[in-house]
Amino acid sequence: MFYSQLAYIYDSNMVNKRMSTENVENFIHEHLKEDLRVYENQLKQLNAEIMEYVQLKHMIETILGQDRREGFKTQVNIGGNMFMKARADNVDHILVDVGLKVYVEFKIDEALRFVEMKIKVLTKQADVVRDKSIETRANIKLALLVIGDAQRLHTIQDDR
């Protein structure tokens, strides 16, 4: 899509015998940089979600590594990074946020499998968004090169 839009700008300006750097700059600022901002926000959200599931995975692995008859002692974030000591007597089942603030009760080993699967899915989504971000950055550099080449051609023509 980028190349066709850039080609359109180039072709429409060939009528004037020169490519307007204004059109390319507008294209960069209105489309490419906005796309890049959206991708970076998506990537930030996905990374935050991955980190939450990684923390949950470590907690589940800690629970599985302990004697479950004793229960489980932890600190729970009650908001605003304020923590409260908590004790769970029965850790055979836990509630896991599966998305959209929907919680499902899992057996502890099922929860571990779900969390591992969720981390894989989110990582693949983050990889796709990261690739789109890299492509958009490359397109911005390409557009800036087009501007530089157009300006260099105009100075060469003006010198003649």
Side-chain angles (χ1 to χ4, degrees):
M1 186 169 121
F2 166 75
Y3 300 108
S4 63
Q5 290 174 336
L6 193 57
Y8 172 74
I9 291 170
Y10 183 77
D11 290 341
S12 66
N13 288 318
M14 288 308 287
V15 174
N16 298 335
K17 301 286 188 212
R18 57 189 345 219
M19 189 160 126
S20 170
T21 58
E22 254 180 62
N23 288 343
V24 178
E25 287 173 355
N26 287 339
F27 178 73
I28 291 171
H29 292 295
E30 292 174 7
H31 297 284
L32 296 179
K33 286 194 175 181
E34 180 62 26
D35 290 347
L36 186 60
R37 186 187 63 75
V38 169
Y39 293 143
E40 287 177 352
N41 284 339
Q42 288 176 348
L43 194 57
K44 186 177 177 182
Q45 290 173 347
L46 284 169
N47 285 335
E49 197 171 348
I50 289 169
M51 285 306 300
E52 288 179 15
Y53 280 108
V54 167
Q55 288 175 347
L56 178 59
K57 178 182 175 188
H58 289 304
M59 186 191 77
I60 292 171
E61 289 171 344
T62 302
I63 291 171
L64 288 172
Q66 294 180 348
D67 184 14
R68 287 190 244 169
R69 289 174 288 164
E70 297 175 9
F72 184 70
K73 292 180 183 179
T74 187
Q75 291 186 346
V76 178
N77 187 350
I78 58 173
N81 283 333
M82 296 186 67
F83 291 86
M84 183 173 87
K85 289 183 180 180
R87 177 177 165 82
D89 293 328
N90 183 357
V91 289
D92 292 333
H93 293 83
I94 63 170
L95 293 174
V96 177
D97 183 358
V98 295
L100 301 174
K101 301 297 179 196
V102 174
Y103 290 84
V104 175
E105 184 176 349
F106 286 105
K107 290 182 181 177
I108 197 77
D109 53 336
E110 292 173 341
L112 182 61
R113 284 195 309 268
F114 172 79
V115 167
E116 289 172 343
M117 182 269 312
K118 189 73 171 181
I119 290 170
K120 286 179 186 177
V121 168
L122 291 172
T123 302
K124 286 182 182 181
Q125 288 177 350
D127 290 343
V128 169
V129 173
R130 191 174 296 108
D131 289 343
K132 287 180 182 180
S133 175
I134 291 169
E135 182 181 341
T136 302
R137 286 178 193 272
N139 289 339
I140 290 171
K141 286 183 181 181
L142 178 64
L144 292 173
L145 286 172
V146 168
I147 290 173
D149 286 346
Q151 289 175 346
R152 190 174 41 183
L153 285 175
H154 295 307
T155 58
I156 291 171
Q157 290 176 355
D158 292 343
D159 290 344
R160 290 182 185 178

